[in-house]
Amino acid sequence: LNMNKNIIKFIAASLMVTSFTSCMKEFDVEKNYVSQEELEDAPKAFSSLVDAITSNLSGEYTYSGASQYANDWGYPSILIQNDIMGQDIVPVDCSGSEWFSTWYSGSVALGPNYAMCQMPWTYYYLWIKNCNIVIAYPKGEPNDEQKTGVGQAYAMRAMFYLDLARMYSPKTYAEDKNALTIPKVTEETTTAVSTNNPRMTNEEAFKFILEDLDKAEKYLTGYKRTTKYTPDISVVYGLKARTYLTMEDWQNAEKYAKLAQAGYTVMTATQYTSHSEGFNKANDSWMLATHNVSTNTNIKDNDGDGSWGAKMTTEQGSGCGYGANYGYPFYIDRHLYETIPSTDCRKKCFVDFAVDTYTKKVTDPKTGKETEVMDTEKVLNALKANSDYPELLASNKPTLGGLNAKFKNAGGSAGVSDQYVGWCMDIPLMRVEEMKLIEAEAVGMQPGREAEGIALLTAFAKTRDPQYVYGSHTNESYFAKRANNFQNEVCWERRAEFWGEGITGYDIKRLERGIIRSYANSNHPDLYRWNISTTPDWMNRCIPRSESAYNTGITTNNPTPSAPVDNDAEYKW
């Protein structure tokens, strides 16, 4: 397909064929879209279309179509892209074998002429088109059998546009309501409109998002789902809480964060640090998830190496995986790790930096000379705090200090020995813990209610660290322009709680934080130790040339990133 033609046509063809080809009588590839008549002729067409809204979030090489691209696994891949742009996720280096180096390095390849710029645009407008088709299907008010599907489509479309608005707007909503975001494509958007479709302002985008969420609330009220892979009313409330948080509408953020919590329980410390089910299986705190299954091409092809599990798990006995065996795992930022108290359970999700110093002296029997070698026994004993498989956790890693041990293989011992089992895992997209922290921040930011917000924050923090005392992290400002000490404390809690889950990147932009990678004993790669006092330009995504060349309404774009070329002086904490 010609990507210089309207993205609307592209996504209709590429996704709808893969979603339910077996149901279709015929598909005219020259049209580049599926007609309403063809849809209605397909057995169980509506249910297939609804399923496609969430089943295509992960598991397929939808963008590249080629299994050798180990950063092409849909929505979970974009979560990592957003977070690694900051400072909390640390790669080994920025060589060609690190599939996320483009985003970490703020590369010019994020500019409009490059494929990595096109990736999120293609994905999001493909998912939006899926939603649009479901919304348009009833040709008016949906009947009772269609209401749930239409409600889910509105909810997911709102989630996608909320992501896009935060990714592409160069200024936060609260700072500038007139800052430009992305074009709006709905079920009513014609080809003629799409050729001259300007970017919405923040104000227009957030109004549209809330309108979709109001409709989702209308259609999903009373719906009882059977799986966490599809949205229900609690997810709608959660998305409203995220939206109002970004808008700094504190009263509504509080209201919907409270509503979203109904029926969920915060993960216990034991659940959070589980060596068998740690972040691989939806539990009573998870509100929305996606997952990989054995039939996904990301699992079947190329040894499963193009999947979330291949990158985010670090124990695998089969010899496969970038995180476990190929020498390209992710680490936690050393300063963030060091600010997590030893009494906080979340510290166990990462290997102690002290492990890299565990050595012993041995004497060569021939020469009598002493040499320093790793004290293997001491290292493996230490790793038992992070893993039931310390030998696997230690093997094939450049260093161990700060190593991610948060995300575990699914399937217990079978998954540890077989990636085709272990990487068929659930991936969190929304947890009730996020709602607890949105509520705390929203309450504390209202006039005269900071003490209430501190109390809510403290109550949550004590579920992770019984010895938590408010005020421990208020100095973690990172040059945040839109945050007071209370918000800094909340933000630190979110960073520790949601490491690797795609939330931190949005917080950087929302609070207008900078990044600090250069400091004493930093574990960030050489030449990428930068301290930037404003939100980095590379976190403002560029609109790809394929869109601006066809859509004359795109008259301005975010600047092509230009990253620093050398380390900065060490920041003094």
Side-chain angles (χ1 to χ4, degrees):
L1 293 174
N2 183 357
M3 287 304 299
N4 287 326
K5 291 190 175 182
N6 188 356
I7 194 72
I8 303 172
K9 297 293 186 68
F10 163 73
I11 57 187
S14 62
L15 183 58
M16 297 314 305
V17 177
T18 60
S19 297
F20 58 99
T21 305
S22 60
C23 297
M24 298 296 293
K25 290 182 179 179
E26 181 179 0
F27 174 72
D28 185 350
V29 294
E30 293 185 358
K31 293 203 307 272
N32 287 352
Y33 65 94
V34 182
S35 71
Q36 190 72 23
E37 292 75 18
E38 288 170 327
L39 293 178
E40 293 173 351
D41 284 345
K44 300 181 178 179
F46 185 72
S47 61
S48 296
L49 291 167
V50 174
D51 289 345
I53 293 172
T54 51
S55 65
N56 285 283
L57 285 181
S58 61
E60 309 296 328
Y61 296 101
T62 305
Y63 170 70
S64 66
S67 63
Q68 69 266 29
Y69 292 100
N71 54 17
D72 180 13
W73 10 282
Y75 199 86
S77 174
I78 291 171
L79 299 181
I80 293 178
Q81 294 172 24
N82 285 339
D83 277 3
I84 202 171
M85 288 180 176
Q87 67 198 52
D88 291 350
I89 294 180
V90 180
V92 172
D93 59 35
C94 285
S95 71
S97 296
E98 175 46 70
W99 285 95
F100 290 88
S101 62
T102 300
W103 295 279
Y104 178 77
S105 65
S107 170
V108 68
L110 294 173
N113 296 329
Y114 296 87
M116 293 300 98
C117 174
Q118 181 73 54
M119 179 186 285
W121 194 265
T122 298
Y123 265 120
Y124 273 96
Y125 280 99
L126 181 151
W127 295 324
I128 287 167
K129 182 62 177 181
N130 245 18
C131 296
N132 289 342
I133 291 174
V134 171
I135 291 167
Y137 190 91
K139 298 180 179 179
E141 184 68 17
N143 61 37
D144 289 344
E145 294 182 352
Q146 296 169 336
K147 285 181 179 178
T148 295
V150 171
Q152 290 178 349
Y154 277 121
M156 295 304 293
R157 188 170 77 174
M159 186 176 90
F160 298 141
Y161 273 110
L162 178 59
D163 287 357
L164 287 170
R166 293 182 294 175
M167 289 162 61
Y168 285 87
S169 176
K171 294 184 181 294
T172 179
Y173 174 95
E175 181 191 9
D176 185 358
K177 293 181 177 62
N178 293 315
L180 297 179
T181 62
I182 65 293
K184 178 171 69 173
V185 178
T186 73
E187 71 282 5
E188 297 178 348
T189 303
T190 64
T191 300
V193 169
S194 69
T195 61
N196 184 15
N197 192 11
R199 300 166 69 180
M200 291 183 286
T201 63
N202 267 325
E203 187 170 30
E204 292 167 337
F206 279 79
K207 179 177 182 291
F208 173 57
I209 290 162
L210 289 171
E211 288 171 348
D212 267 9
L213 290 173
D214 286 343
K215 294 171 186 175
E217 183 176 358
K218 171 185 174 181
Y219 293 128
L220 291 178
T221 297
Y223 162 63
K224 304 295 183 184
R225 63 181 175 178
T226 58
T227 172
K228 298 285 183 76
Y229 308 134
T230 57
D232 67 356
I233 191 66
S234 69
V235 175
V236 175
Y237 294 148
L239 290 170
K240 283 192 172 185
R242 282 181 180 175
T243 304
Y244 284 119
L245 176 75
T246 307
M247 297 171 71
E248 298 185 11
D249 182 339
W250 304 118
Q251 290 184 336
N252 275 315
E254 175 193 0
K255 172 185 175 180
Y256 287 104
K258 285 181 176 178
L259 288 171
Q261 295 171 39
Y264 296 97
T265 56
V266 170
M267 293 172 70
T268 66
T270 300
Q271 287 177 305
Y272 199 101
T273 58
S274 171
H275 290 182
S276 59
E277 294 184 351
F279 293 89
N280 62 30
K281 185 178 181 181
N283 57 39
D284 289 340
S285 91
W286 291 28
M287 300 171 62
L288 185 65
T290 186
H291 65 143
N292 288 152
V293 296
S294 60
T295 54
N296 287 152
T297 56
N298 288 94
I299 301 297
K300 292 191 304 179
D301 297 351
N302 197 26
D303 298 322
D305 283 330
S307 68
W308 169 270
K311 187 65 181 179
M312 299 302 282
T313 65
T314 48
E315 310 154 309
Q316 183 48 250
S318 69
C320 294
Y322 285 90
N325 289 294
Y326 301 162
Y328 287 89
F330 284 145
Y331 298 80
I332 187 173
D333 170 75
R334 181 164 189 159
H335 179 74
L336 176 59
Y337 176 84
E338 290 176 346
T339 60
I340 302 175
S342 60
T343 49
D344 190 319
C345 69
R346 294 170 298 199
K347 197 151 193 162
K348 295 180 181 178
C349 291
F350 308 95
V351 174
D352 192 330
F353 281 86
V355 169
D356 286 332
T357 69
Y358 292 168
T359 60
K360 62 181 179 181
K361 293 180 179 180
V362 296
T363 302
D364 187 319
K366 293 183 178 179
T367 64
K369 291 183 178 180
E370 283 190 336
T371 57
E372 199 94 9
V373 298
M374 177 187 289
D375 188 335
T376 303
E377 182 179 359
K378 188 175 181 180
V379 167
L380 294 181
N381 281 335
L383 294 183
K384 290 177 181 178
N386 312 105
S387 172
D388 289 340
Y389 306 93
E391 294 87 355
L392 293 178
L393 190 62
S395 65
N396 300 312
K397 309 300 190 301
T399 59
L400 293 173
L403 179 66
N404 155 44
K406 177 178 176 178
F407 299 94
K408 302 297 186 181
N409 289 286
S413 59
V416 173
S417 61
D418 183 353
Q419 77 267 25
Y420 299 111
V421 175
W423 298 342
C424 290
M425 59 199 300
D426 292 344
I427 304 161
L429 303 183
M430 182 184 288
R431 295 196 278 122
V432 74
E433 290 84 353
E434 181 186 358
M435 300 301 115
K436 292 283 187 182
L437 290 170
I438 290 176
E439 180 191 2
E441 183 176 349
V443 168
M445 290 302 291
Q446 294 177 50
R449 299 186 67 189
E450 184 174 290
E452 291 179 64
I454 291 172
L456 288 168
L457 174 62
T458 300
F460 173 79
K462 283 183 176 292
T463 67
R464 303 293 181 245
D465 178 7
Q467 297 184 32
Y468 171 83
V469 176
Y470 175 78
S472 306
H473 308 292
T474 55
N475 66 333
E476 302 296 333
S477 64
Y478 298 93
F479 314 113
K481 293 182 178 179
R482 300 193 63 83
N484 58 24
N485 284 341
F486 168 69
Q487 284 179 295
N488 287 334
E489 191 85 9
V490 176
C491 183
W492 181 92
E493 198 68 36
R494 285 164 65 92
R495 292 171 63 207
E497 180 71 19
F498 302 113
W499 186 95
E501 297 181 51
I503 287 178
T504 299
Y506 293 127
D507 279 350
I508 290 174
K509 295 193 69 175
R510 176 172 69 90
L511 300 174
E512 291 187 66
R513 278 175 42 204
I515 62 169
I516 298 178
R517 294 180 182 174
S518 179
Y519 51 86
N521 298 318
S522 171
N523 61 327
H524 287 271
D526 187 32
L527 301 181
Y528 300 93
R529 296 176 182 172
W530 307 324
N531 298 331
I532 301 176
S533 61
T534 58
T535 302
D537 286 345
W538 60 80
M539 298 192 79
N540 302 320
R541 303 264 190 159
C542 293
I543 295 173
R545 188 177 64 179
S546 62
E547 177 69 13
S548 59
Y550 178 81
N551 178 359
T552 60
I554 305 296
T555 57
T556 60
N557 204 343
N558 295 332
T560 297
S562 178
V565 296
D566 204 350
N567 297 332
D568 284 326
E570 292 182 354
Y571 182 79
K572 307 298 182 183
W573 298 101

